[in-house]
Amino acid sequence: MKRFLFLIAVLAIFASCASRKEIVYLQNSNVIPENIYAKYAPKIQQEDLLTILVSAEDLKATLPFNQQNQYQIQTAATNDLAFKPTYLVDHNGEIDFPVIGKLKFEGLSRLEATELLKSKLSQYIVNPGVNITFANFKVTVLGEVNRPNTYTLPQERVTILEAIGMAGDMTIKGVRENVLLIREKNGVKEMHRLNLLTDSLINSPYYYLAQNDVIYVEPNNSQVRNSRFGQDTNVWISISSLLITITALIVTNIKN
């Protein structure tokens, strides 16, 4: 009888355990990392908000290009972005920049847009400096993570691992080899499945995230089965396993 109880306890404990191959990120680590960020840097899209600051040795020459609109002036007391000239990329992929007028930014990286604006400003300013940043760069992490949420980031250089880290990492029940990435390009939704267990991920075109990316971590089969019996099933299984183990020890001591 005690052997039977001990066997049940052992099976209950190991049934709730996951193997190393199912959990550890970037296994093997044989891949040589490439400098892929420049190649896969996020592109500017419609509805993006860009903050643009122009600088130069002659500060007076920059004033016409660092104007604030009426909305920014009115909200300056409550929003830090209000102190920075902010531009919406419209449905034509353009911004309306002071003095220069319409500029096509859609499809350009932040650095490419910076160089374009510099070339336009050089007609008015000697050696202009341009600082462009995304004001609304955000990613959403859902599913089997500890803090699912939408995260607004101060800069656009973020990897999928960093985004999952912001969400408190995956739970032990998350499927790491089949993470869903939803990305929008030119108004079309794309879906990509990523394996976070393999080191080839770091050279993937989806290792660095783009604005408005959605990451979904699906639950493993055990979690799906347990959900049929209610959220407290795992707790009761753990308690039952503990009681079985204690009972087995008591029975053994009595017989001895």
Side-chain angles (χ1 to χ4, degrees):
M1 176 66 179
K2 69 178 182 180
R3 290 183 178 178
F4 176 72
L5 293 174
F6 180 75
L7 179 60
I8 292 177
V10 170
L11 290 175
I13 292 173
F14 280 95
S16 61
C17 296
S19 69
R20 181 180 185 277
K21 290 184 177 181
E22 297 175 313
I23 297 175
V24 179
Y25 299 121
L26 306 179
Q27 295 175 33
N28 301 324
S29 298
N30 294 323
V31 170
I32 299 176
E34 301 175 9
N35 185 14
I36 62 171
Y37 180 74
K39 184 177 180 180
Y40 299 117
K43 304 298 183 181
I44 296 172
Q45 304 175 11
Q46 296 176 22
E47 306 301 324
D48 280 345
L49 280 175
L50 305 174
T51 61
I52 304 177
L53 290 175
V54 178
S55 60
E57 185 175 349
D58 183 1
L59 293 180
K60 289 184 178 180
T62 67
L63 293 179
F65 305 98
N66 287 327
Q67 297 176 357
Q68 291 179 314
N69 61 38
Q70 190 60 35
Y71 171 77
Q72 291 169 323
I73 294 173
Q74 291 173 350
T75 58
T78 58
N79 186 353
D80 288 341
L81 290 178
F83 292 101
K84 301 177 182 179
T86 304
Y87 302 87
L88 174 68
V89 182
D90 63 23
H91 65 280
N92 293 319
E94 299 174 331
I95 67 167
D96 191 1
F97 200 73
V99 181
I100 294 175
K102 297 288 186 178
L103 287 174
K104 182 79 170 184
F105 273 4
E106 183 180 15
L108 301 180
S109 69
R110 184 180 59 83
L111 295 179
E112 290 169 340
T114 298
E115 292 303 315
L116 172 61
L117 185 52
K118 275 185 179 181
S119 68
K120 299 292 185 181
L121 288 170
S122 62
Q123 303 175 38
Y124 307 93
I125 303 175
V126 177
N127 296 325
V130 175
N131 183 6
I132 299 178
T133 57
F134 289 93
N136 64 337
F137 193 100
K138 62 181 184 294
V139 296
T140 301
V141 188
L142 301 172
E144 285 295 334
V145 292
N146 288 296
R147 294 191 298 272
N149 207 338
T150 296
Y151 296 89
T152 300
L153 310 177
Q155 48 84 30
E156 77 277 9
R157 190 183 176 104
V158 59
T159 69
I160 186 170
L161 294 179
E162 289 171 331
I164 290 174
M166 288 186 293
D169 201 0
M170 294 188 196
T171 69
I172 199 67
K173 303 163 187 172
V175 178
R176 288 154 170 77
E177 68 269 27
N178 196 30
V179 175
L180 176 64
L181 174 67
I182 304 174
R183 175 171 295 177
E184 183 172 326
K185 282 187 178 180
N186 301 319
V188 179
K189 297 288 187 182
E190 297 181 353
M191 296 189 181
H192 305 277
R193 294 282 179 175
L194 304 177
N195 187 347
L196 273 57
L197 301 181
T198 64
D199 54 7
S200 59
L201 172 72
I202 60 177
N203 289 331
S204 164
Y206 308 106
Y207 182 60
Y208 287 99
L209 300 180
Q211 64 274 44
N212 304 316
D213 275 358
V214 177
I215 301 165
Y216 173 67
V217 180
E218 64 183 50
N220 58 23
N221 291 332
S222 175
Q223 176 69 357
V224 173
R225 288 193 298 268
N226 290 341
S227 66
R228 300 175 184 174
F229 303 100
Q231 297 179 349
D232 296 331
T233 301
N234 288 336
V235 176
W236 287 110
I237 289 176
S238 299
I239 294 174
S240 299
S241 299
L242 179 61
L243 291 175
I244 290 172
T245 302
I246 294 173
T247 302
L249 292 174
I250 293 174
V251 171
T252 300
N253 291 333
I254 292 176
K255 288 187 176 182
N256 291 335

